[in-house]
Amino acid sequence: MQGDSIQFEKVKVKWNDGQKDYMEQFPHHTAIIYSVSSNDQVELIHQNTGYNGKKVTTSRLNFKGITSGKYTIYRPESK
């Protein structure tokens, strides 16, 4: 759900943009779910990634592309 945080531990993600195969690793990484496209795909907002460095940016994550590791999604508590 939008606004949830997601914690990655030793996660490897593979995907293809139609022309090229890509792989990214998240040994220990935290991101915020910016939007939900479907049950399998979300847009994340995060920084300190292999492709964008220290800039805060968005990227898509298709959960079907996760090949190893684990992730945990946390929902903020409302008072």
Side-chain angles (χ1 to χ4, degrees):
M1 180 173 186
Q2 183 178 2
D4 291 354
S5 60
I6 184 168
Q7 179 68 47
F8 299 97
E9 296 296 336
K10 300 178 183 175
V11 168
K12 289 183 183 178
V13 183
K14 294 183 180 181
W15 73 97
N16 181 291
D17 68 0
Q19 297 179 344
K20 187 175 177 183
D21 291 326
Y22 295 91
M23 193 272 294
E24 182 143 24
Q25 298 183 57
F26 298 117
H28 180 77
H29 186 70
T30 305
I32 296 170
I33 297 175
Y34 185 68
S35 65
V36 178
S37 303
S38 68
N39 287 339
D40 298 327
Q41 188 166 293
V42 295
E43 188 167 4
L44 302 175
I45 187 165
H46 51 156
Q47 67 181 29
N48 297 331
T49 65
Y51 291 103
N52 296 302
K54 296 201 180 271
K55 294 187 311 183
V56 175
T57 188
T58 60
S59 64
R60 289 188 185 151
L61 170 66
N62 187 325
F63 291 102
K64 290 180 179 180
I66 296 175
T67 61
S68 64
K70 69 175 191 168
Y71 64 89
T72 306
I73 298 174
Y74 298 94
R75 174 143 309 141
E77 185 177 309
S78 59
K79 295 185 178 198

